[in-house]
Amino acid sequence: MVHKPKKQYAPVFAALLLSLTAALLLALLFVAMSLYIPILVGQAIDCAVGVGHVDIETIVTLLIRIAVCTAVISLSQWCMTTFHNRITYQVIRDIRHEAFAKISSLPLSFIDSNSHGEIVSRVIADADAFGDGLLMGFSNLFTGVVTILGTLVFMLTIPPLITLVVVVLTPLSLFVA
């Protein structure tokens, strides 16, 4: 009997947890900046009240802030995608290793009764499909949940009656749709 050393999951788990935390923090930054840009645009519009009452210096300052926010959004989205890919591909790598370890421990009668290419293809295709779903889930879940929470927080800074109307009508509109 050959003794196989047990795989150490602690370092892998720590790396995944670190990547997951970084992706979540980047999602927070991404959403905060995305929600802050419309506020800046509104302030810039308020600076152009009427003829002869345009505050060009403030508008230029706000446009610079918008440009910086856009750069932060782009950088955070790129980093977030990098972390999502890293997490997904580490999980897929581990799934494939464990699947091939399982295949190598199967009885020869099972391997002889099934096509070798089909077994390998199934492992690879299923792992890829799982990876695609995981990657899409990470991208949509993090930014979606954080966007909803961030929008509610920003909405509370405007008159509460408008926030109440939106919070009440949104589920109603989803039900009607």
Side-chain angles (χ1 to χ4, degrees), residues 69-150:
C69 287
T70 303
V72 169
I73 287 170
S74 298
L75 183 64
S76 65
Q77 187 173 22
W78 181 79
C79 291
M80 194 170 42
T81 301
T82 302
F83 282 116
H84 291 164
N85 287 340
R86 179 179 297 157
I87 293 166
T88 300
Y89 295 130
Q90 286 175 352
V91 168
I92 296 306
R93 180 198 62 213
D94 291 345
I95 288 173
R96 284 186 178 153
H97 282 289
E98 289 185 24
F100 282 115
K102 176 67 176 173
I103 289 171
S104 67
S105 69
L106 290 172
L108 289 176
S109 61
F110 176 82
I111 294 176
D112 286 340
S113 65
N114 291 296
S115 167
H116 304 295
E118 182 182 341
I119 294 171
V120 172
S121 175
R122 222 181 249 177
V123 169
I124 291 173
D126 289 352
D128 282 344
F130 179 76
D132 291 342
L134 188 62
L135 189 58
M136 189 175 300
F138 275 136
S139 301
N140 294 336
L141 177 69
F142 283 179
T143 54
V145 169
V146 175
T147 299
I148 290 169
L149 295 175

Side-chain angles (χ1 to χ4, degrees), residues 152 155 158-173:
L152 285 173
M155 285 176 58
I158 60 175
L161 182 60
I162 295 173
T163 304
L164 180 66
V165 168
V166 170
V167 168
V168 169
L169 290 180
T170 300
L172 182 64
S173 68

Side-chain angles (χ1 to χ4, degrees), residues 22-59:
L24 185 59
L25 292 174
L26 287 165
L28 286 168
L29 180 65
F30 171 81
V31 169
M33 292 294 114
S34 296
L35 294 174
Y36 185 54
I37 286 178
I39 292 172
L40 293 174
V41 170
Q43 290 173 357
I45 291 171
D46 289 343
C47 290
V49 177
V51 178
H53 300 288
V54 178
D55 187 0
I56 297 293
E57 290 178 16
T58 305
I59 291 174

